Amino acid sequence: MKKKLRNKLTHNLALKIISVIIAILIWYVVIEISDPVTTKGFDVPVNIINANYIETGKKTYVVDDRYKTIKVTIRDNRSKLADIDDEDIKLEADLTQIVNENTDPVYVPLRASCPNVKDENISLSQLTIPVTIEDIEQAPFTLDVDFDNTVPNESYEVGKVTLNPATITISGPKSMISIIDGVKARINVDGMTEDGVVPAELKVYDKNGVEFTPESMGYLRYDIGQNAQVQATVDLWKKLRGVKVKVDVTGEPAWGYQIGEITTSPSEITMVGTDEALAELVQNDKTITIPIPDNIMSVENKKQDVEGTLDLKSIFGSESPIRPSASTSSIVVNVTILPNGSKEFELDVEQIKRLGMGENLTYSYDQSTIPFRVKAPDDKLESFDVSKVEASIDLSGKGEGDYPLTVNITVPEGYELVDTVTTTVHLKQRAESALKEP
């Protein structure tokens, strides 16, 4: 029986060996087709280990942003690669393995690993990363408040914010401390309706006004702890709308001239303040008087009108219990300067006769009234009747268009027109339907 079995095994032995080899080849081909070996790239962040090897005494390290993430390539079966994510790969730079401590920067070797993947199947876009060794410096910074475009309830504005602490000390690499321009405490006041204490997150800005990235912030140390937060006490101020504005100007006009009228645009603003300050403003007929410093506007020795823009933030200091709403940052102030014995009046544009205007045209003005100035003894000025003024403009030969024109004004006997009056009239073609009307 053994002889028969031996004969069966050895019969056509060469053919049987060839069959086995072909079967193995077919198996490899099937595997390559159904689950081939291929490569896949991953962007993996570098994890610095044994940092305390450098962070002793007054030294620290900095890794340039370009080298904080490295391309890792893994070669394996496609099915296996499909189950691997960036988070599965560990990429470490061990600071105890610095190649040469006498170079600047120093170079630290990288080591990558991944569960169930052989080390020889893992390759890196670079084998080392440059690391800069720096001195540690520290500096104090006063915190500024940043509301990050958040606002309280529409009836309120933020009145005052008290930070605790108001200053902090930051330490870190010398190259980073030297470029810090300021530190802001970012506060969220969205929808607030009452005073409160809220956390403020610290944001660091360089001298170009660019915010430090989270990676750069990671190199910094704070004397308040690493959570980089302070407490902010927020006081809300109520809004008071419809407050009338008066201004006080400095100086005296030239000899023979006087101040006629002082107007502001807008004439009413919204104020915010403490309850006590707003109550006092209400008692004053909701009128606030704003003094204008002479370095901003003065009528000293002026013979003509004076106009200027007043920045309200420069008038109300940080300690003031009241201030204009953020919606009104500035006002335009106009001071009319008149010859003695004269006064300014307003002429309704509908009082102006339009001489020579074609019947196929319509007209409009930029304003409803036009200022003009009249000179007369004081007793006559008080009784001046604007309705008795005759005014006209000459539109002869003018078609559609915009025309700056002199207004011909005749005042009653005993009065004198001080200066020339001009206005702009806009002429347009009348609609055809209007032309056909009987």
Side-chain angles (χ1 to χ4, degrees):
M1 183 175 178
K2 289 183 179 181
K3 187 175 180 179
K4 288 182 179 180
L5 181 60
R6 185 181 301 111
N7 288 337
K8 287 182 179 182
L9 291 174
T10 57
H11 183 67
N12 294 328
L13 181 60
L15 182 60
K16 291 178 180 179
I17 292 173
I18 292 172
S19 299
V20 170
I21 293 173
I22 292 174
I24 292 173
L25 291 175
I26 292 174
W27 181 82
Y28 271 112
V29 170
V30 171
I31 291 298
E32 282 298 316
I33 293 175
S34 61
D35 192 13
V37 174
T38 185
T39 59
K40 183 178 179 181
F42 304 86
D43 293 319
V44 182
V46 177
N47 179 34
I48 303 294
I49 63 174
N50 293 320
N52 58 351
Y53 178 74
I54 297 297
E55 294 175 335
T56 57
K58 293 187 177 181
K59 296 289 184 181
T60 187
Y61 70 92
V62 177
V63 178
D64 190 280
D65 288 347
R66 293 173 296 173
Y67 305 107
K68 290 180 178 178
T69 300
I70 300 297
K71 176 74 74 175
V72 176
T73 302
I74 295 179
R75 178 180 175 81
D76 215 320
N77 294 104
R78 180 182 295 169
S79 60
K80 194 171 182 180
L81 291 176
D83 295 330
I84 299 176
D85 295 321
D86 295 346
E87 295 78 12
D88 298 323
I89 304 171
K90 183 188 295 185
L91 182 59
E92 296 177 337
D94 189 346
L95 296 187
T96 64
Q97 302 300 313
I98 292 174
V99 176
N100 185 348
E101 295 186 4
N102 295 322
T103 62
D104 185 19
V106 297
Y107 287 85
V108 182
L110 296 172
R111 182 181 182 280
S113 61
C114 183
N116 302 318
V117 177
K118 296 179 180 180
D119 289 348
E120 57 266 28
N121 289 340
I122 303 175
S123 60
L124 307 177
S125 59
Q126 60 187 78
L127 299 179
T128 62
I129 59 169
V131 176
T132 302
I133 308 300
E134 291 192 32
D135 292 332
I136 293 178
E137 282 199 358
Q138 64 179 28
F141 295 92
T142 299
L143 302 180
D144 294 321
V145 176
D146 176 21
F147 298 111
D148 195 27
N149 295 320
T150 62
V151 293
N153 177 273
E154 61 181 7
S155 298
Y156 299 88
E157 282 190 13
V158 175
K160 289 189 176 181
V161 176
T162 304
L163 298 176
N164 182 25
T167 61
I168 63 170
T169 298
I170 301 178
S171 60
K174 180 179 179 180
S175 62
M176 289 190 177
I177 299 298
S178 64
I179 65 171
I180 295 178
D181 184 60
V183 183
K184 294 183 179 181
R186 184 169 292 175
I187 303 171
N188 187 340
V189 297
D190 196 36
M192 285 184 66
T193 57
E194 59 183 6
D195 301 344
V197 178
V198 297
E201 184 181 7
L202 298 185
K203 297 295 180 181
V204 180
Y205 293 83
D206 66 18
K207 296 186 186 300
N208 292 320
V210 178
E211 182 180 329
F212 273 37
T213 63
E215 291 79 9
S216 297
M217 292 281 285
Y219 290 109
L220 305 179
R221 299 292 180 266
Y222 312 91
D223 61 349
I224 58 172
Q226 284 311 107
N227 63 348
Q229 281 192 349
V230 299
Q231 295 299 310
T233 301
V234 180
D235 295 332
L236 296 183
W237 288 355
K238 290 182 180 178
K239 294 180 179 180
L240 180 62
R241 297 175 173 83
V243 177
K244 297 180 284 293
V245 178
K246 289 185 177 180
V247 295
D248 285 338
V249 295
T250 60
E252 293 292 335
W255 186 87
Y257 290 82
Q258 62 181 340
I259 294 177
E261 186 179 15
I262 302 176
T263 59
T264 66
S265 179
S267 59
E268 294 185 353
I269 61 175
T270 298
M271 299 291 293
V272 297
T274 63
D275 292 344
E276 296 80 6
L278 293 182
E280 184 178 343
L281 190 57
V282 171
Q283 291 178 357
N284 196 34
D285 194 31
K286 290 178 67 176
T287 301
I288 188 166
T289 300
I290 302 175
I292 303 180
D294 56 6
N295 64 324
I296 296 178
M297 177 184 288
S298 173
V299 296
E300 187 68 25
N301 292 323
K302 300 296 183 182
K303 297 181 180 180
Q304 296 180 335
D305 294 353
V306 179
E307 183 175 281
T309 300
L310 179 62
D311 181 6
L312 296 178
K313 291 182 181 178
S314 65
I315 303 298
F316 296 86
S318 59
E319 297 303 318
S320 173
I322 195 170
R323 68 164 187 264
S325 168
S327 60
T328 308
S329 59
S330 63
I331 58 174
V332 176
V333 180
N334 183 273
V335 183
T336 59
I337 306 297
L338 303 173
N340 289 339
S342 63
K343 189 175 181 179
E344 186 171 271
F345 298 91
E346 295 290 330
L347 177 70
D348 192 319
V349 294
E350 294 303 322
Q351 220 172 312
I352 302 174
K353 296 179 180 179
R354 297 166 298 280
L355 305 179
M357 188 179 78
E359 294 183 356
N360 62 331
L361 297 173
T362 63
Y363 68 93
S364 64
Y365 297 94
D366 290 329
Q367 68 269 46
S368 60
T369 61
I370 299 173
F372 68 101
R373 298 170 182 181
V374 173
K375 187 175 182 180
D378 290 344
D379 57 337
K380 291 182 70 67
L381 284 175
E382 295 304 321
S383 61
F384 182 76
D385 187 355
V386 177
S387 65
K388 295 182 179 180
V389 172
E390 295 183 0
S392 65
I393 53 177
D394 187 2
L395 300 175
S396 300
K398 291 181 170 52
E400 189 171 15
D402 305 320
Y403 300 96
L405 299 170
T406 298
V407 182
N408 300 308
I409 293 180
T410 302
V411 294
E413 186 177 351
Y415 297 92
E416 179 184 347
L417 190 66
V418 173
D419 42 27
T420 302
V421 179
T422 61
T423 189
T424 298
V425 63
H426 308 283
L427 300 180
K428 290 186 178 180
Q429 195 76 20
R430 191 183 296 274
E432 290 186 9
S433 58
L435 291 173
K436 295 178 181 179
E437 292 179 0

